[in-house]
Amino acid sequence: RSSDLDTILILLEGAPKHLNLDHIKEDLLKIENLYAVDDLHVWSLTTGKTSAIVHLQLASGSSSKWEAVQSEARHILLNKYGMYRCSVQLQSYKREERKNCTNCLIAPV
């Protein structure tokens, strides 16, 4: 029965079947001054009440725009996807640094 499956999904804190996490990420990535969606967790609190936590990375040089990015992300999650509750966490742009590996270097001939 559908209600039994919904109950199991709630108990397991699973993402609701009607929400596609890839689509949510795609919509979030359209936000101006956003570089990456690092983590997105969506789960059912009760039937019809969904919660989300998302960690976003701002684009380079966009730290001063964090309020606008956070506001837009909340708007998307609450209004477009009907989240009951959401938490949007932001971090500044972090360039990935190459780490030197002594075992990876080629010895001179």
Side-chain angles (χ1 to χ4, degrees):
R1 293 184 311 186
S2 178
S3 63
D4 291 339
L5 292 175
D6 288 342
T7 302
I8 291 169
L9 187 66
I10 290 167
L11 291 174
L12 296 175
E13 294 185 347
K17 295 174 278 185
H18 71 282
L19 293 175
N20 183 317
L21 297 184
D22 290 331
H23 290 159
I24 296 172
K25 286 180 184 179
E26 288 171 12
D27 283 341
L28 290 170
L29 284 169
K30 293 175 186 173
I31 297 173
E32 188 176 356
N33 298 307
L34 184 65
Y35 176 72
V37 176
D38 290 335
D39 289 307
L40 173 62
H41 303 283
V42 176
W43 67 97
S44 295
L45 296 171
T46 62
T47 302
K49 289 188 177 180
T50 305
S51 187
I53 295 176
V54 63
H55 297 197
L56 304 175
Q57 188 175 154
L58 296 169
S60 179
S62 297
S63 292
S64 65
K65 311 276 193 216
W66 71 269
E67 288 179 284
V69 171
Q70 186 180 51
S71 177
E72 182 64 21
R74 286 183 55 75
H75 179 80
I76 289 169
L77 294 170
L78 294 171
N79 296 309
K80 182 171 184 176
Y81 290 99
M83 300 292 169
Y84 173 73
R85 182 181 309 156
C86 68
S87 175
V88 178
Q89 298 178 359
L90 299 169
Q91 69 179 31
S92 297
Y93 174 79
K94 291 184 182 175
R95 185 178 62 138
E96 290 185 31
E97 295 180 20
R98 289 187 177 183
K99 295 181 180 172
N100 290 332
C101 172
T102 55
N103 294 329
C104 301
L105 297 176
I106 300 173
V109 180

